[in-house]
Amino acid sequence: MRLVSYSPNDARDARDPNEAGEPARYLGAQLGDRVADLATLAAAAGTELPGDLLALVQAGQPALDAARALLTAAEATGLPPAAVHALDAVKLWAPLRPGKVVGVGLNYVEHVAESSRTLDTDRELPDRPVLFSKPATAITGPGQPILHNADLTEQLDWECELAVVIGRKAFRVAEQDAWQHVFGYSIINDISARDQRRSGQWFFSKGQDSYAPFGPAVLTADEIADPHDLELGLKVNGETKQHSNTRHMLFRIPRLIADISCGMTLEPGDVIATGSPSGVGAGLVPPQFLQPGDLVEATIQHIGTLANPVLDAR
């Protein structure tokens, strides 16, 4: 299933707004150019489902199986009109707000090389995953702005990455068991203020608000035959900056889950950003960085395109 968090564009269709005054967000399954509201399908069948994607992930495999069965049955008999919205009649949000985002640095060989030239990182390939974190407040959704504050950075950079959404609690998980803990996949754009590293630490550089565009959907794990064979790339204003394939990851998903969980509990809804291929702005000659007015589009095969404008936030 392709699961999304959405709000209807028509205010008459929107239910209670949230505490920030934004329209309420609902759990949907994207079916081509339509979105099916899963709570409405459940109500029509006389049952209930969790009301948002994070709650669905946390409810475990039985809830996911129930959602899939409801959707399959409804498609077979005809989706109730009240449960269906045209994709262009809804706003998509970040699919969920993770408890934590664990970033992986230097996970593509060519990116290791370009980083050593331009970001003062080691030239040698790491022998263990290089990890950092992003706070949940960095998460933003499709179409929402990446904030460019020129008082804080002149080197705002991009990184297209495959996002792994954790589906089951993972602590001290062996590599051979790691796949059991994957709920699905999405896209994350690991935005970085390259000139905000502090004594070599990346947290503020990568953790500012809007520095983790995420979405536009979560594709459940059964929909991806091999997550290590996906084309991925990124464009700025229509010009290709990154293009690679996840087969070039240095540390693959089972190794990442095993390594992270050896000392840190991964919880349902947590996200692992699996690293960026080469082609980041800092690695170009001359370097190129994002400016207000730019449009950034990160694309991963089968998952889709995550597009975000860059906004002057001073």
Side-chain angles (χ1 to χ4, degrees), residues 17 21 35 54 67 116 124 262 265 303:
V35 172
L54 180 57
S116 70
E124 301 299 323
C262 76
T265 300
I303 299 172

Side-chain angles (χ1 to χ4, degrees), residues 177-191:
D177 300 323
W179 292 118
Q180 302 172 25
H181 298 267
V182 175
F183 179 88
Y185 305 96
S186 190
I187 304 169
I188 199 161
N189 189 350
D190 177 16
I191 299 296

Side-chain angles (χ1 to χ4, degrees), residues 79-121:
L79 292 166
V84 181
H85 302 272
L87 183 60
D88 61 7
V90 304
K91 176 178 177 57
L92 298 182
W93 301 90
L96 54 81
R97 181 171 175 168
K100 54 183 169 291
V101 178
V102 181
V104 182
L106 306 176
N107 202 29
Y108 286 72
V109 174
E110 291 183 353
H111 183 50
V112 173
E114 72 175 358
S115 294
S116 70
R117 294 193 306 268
T118 59
L119 296 172
D120 301 322
T121 56

Side-chain angles (χ1 to χ4, degrees), residues 43 62-63 78 81 131 133 152 165-166 185 230 241 254 262 296 301-302:
L131 305 177
S133 65
L152 292 175
V165 179
I166 297 298
Y185 305 96
L230 299 174
K241 303 297 184 181
C262 76
V296 189
Q301 185 181 6
H302 301 308

